[in-house]
Amino acid sequence: MSLDSEALLDLSLSRGTLNRNGLGRRDGDPVAAALANSDTRIVDLTGGRALTCRVDGQLRLVHRAPRFADSAAQTLYLGHDVDGTDYVAVLHEEGDPGAEAPPGRGWRNLREAGAELDDLESGVLTTAVALANWHARHQFCPRCGALTVVEEGGWVRRCTVDGSQHYPRTDAAIIVAVTDPDERILLARGPHWPEGRMSVLAGFVEAGESLEAAVHREVMEEVGLTLTDLTYRGNQPWPFPASLMVGFRARAEQTRLTLDETEIVEASWFTRGELSFAARSGQVALPPRVSIARILIEHWHGGPIEAVSDVAATADPRAAR
Ligand SMILES: [Zn+2]
């Protein structure tokens, strides 16, 4: 792996400027303190979606002031902005009647909104979704199975029996744009993806494994290629539910593919012209713009790629403008 002179990638979900207030949130109850302040900005979340609107064309989160009922809801202290204004996420059950979007506003998830929000709000939503997904899956102590309770505004869960503390987990995954000696890129399709959906190779880092070893292992297992010139390209959180995607580029000396059919049902090499054509005509659906996969592909391509699949993604009826 080398850190060469090429700039690292500009990644939508790594832009956050929210101060998580890691030291301050340990004192007392940061949620109660924030809810007592009418300047605090509440972000309502339901099923991973936040209310959004457009202001002069810019997508924004719709914040509100705290309400009395918030103290009885599931709440997460997210941190504060440069002016010291606190942000708290309030989680609602999916299908909550309060979750109807008023006219001109729409509930968007992080995949839909993450690339369009500004740096602060992209970080607010990424953090809120990451924490909410962790709490939804970690109610019980991994040591003894007893119920755990929330501390530090949602950044810790403590076991009610043995007192052990548990922290939000992040699972490292590698993702790699592999090119051949003719500068073609390798794209592949997983077994549960719709027809036409293609992306670069990715996989979780295993226990006791380095990032670089994971890249070599995944690519060998999935398509049977050996790699050279592995280069780190950047990383971004991908809280679906708990990944951190670490991006690389690498070269393959050979082009013959041997697929692991349980992981990969289809894989092909594309020239830049072939991929633009396939994306524009809808033969290939590219990963969303918010993903590191898309940015790795577009960086290889030398600029943005127009894809029919992007138009379909923004036509979501739940995301009214
Ligand atoms: Zn326990």
Side-chain angles (χ1 to χ4, degrees), residues 140-148 158-164 166:
F140 299 97
C141 176
R143 289 171 54 165
C144 75
L147 202 62
T148 55
R158 182 188 293 274
C159 177
T160 50
V161 171
D162 64 27
S164 59
H166 306 281

Side-chain angles (χ1 to χ4, degrees), residues 140-214:
F140 299 97
C141 176
R143 289 171 54 165
C144 75
L147 202 62
T148 55
V149 291
V150 174
E151 291 187 344
E152 295 191 21
W155 291 88
V156 176
R157 295 190 74 102
R158 182 188 293 274
C159 177
T160 50
V161 171
D162 64 27
S164 59
Q165 287 184 309
H166 306 281
Y167 296 86
R169 62 177 287 170
T170 295
D171 301 328
I174 59 83
I175 181 159
V176 57
V178 177
T179 51
D180 77 358
D182 295 325
E183 275 294 303
R184 295 183 301 172
I185 196 168
L186 178 66
L187 298 184
R189 182 163 74 88
H192 306 299
W193 297 4
E195 194 71 32
R197 170 73 196 277
M198 304 284 277
S199 188
V200 292
L201 299 179
F204 285 108
V205 178
E206 292 192 339
E209 188 174 45
S210 72
L211 295 167
E212 298 90 329

Side-chain angles (χ1 to χ4, degrees), residues 186 201 218-225 254-261 264 267 269:
L186 178 66
L201 299 179
E218 280 288 342
V219 173
M220 175 52 72
E221 285 175 3
E222 294 191 344
V223 294
L225 294 174
Q254 65 284 53
T255 56
R256 191 169 161 274
L257 304 173
T258 308
L259 305 190
D260 169 6
E261 283 166 11
I264 302 290
W269 298 100

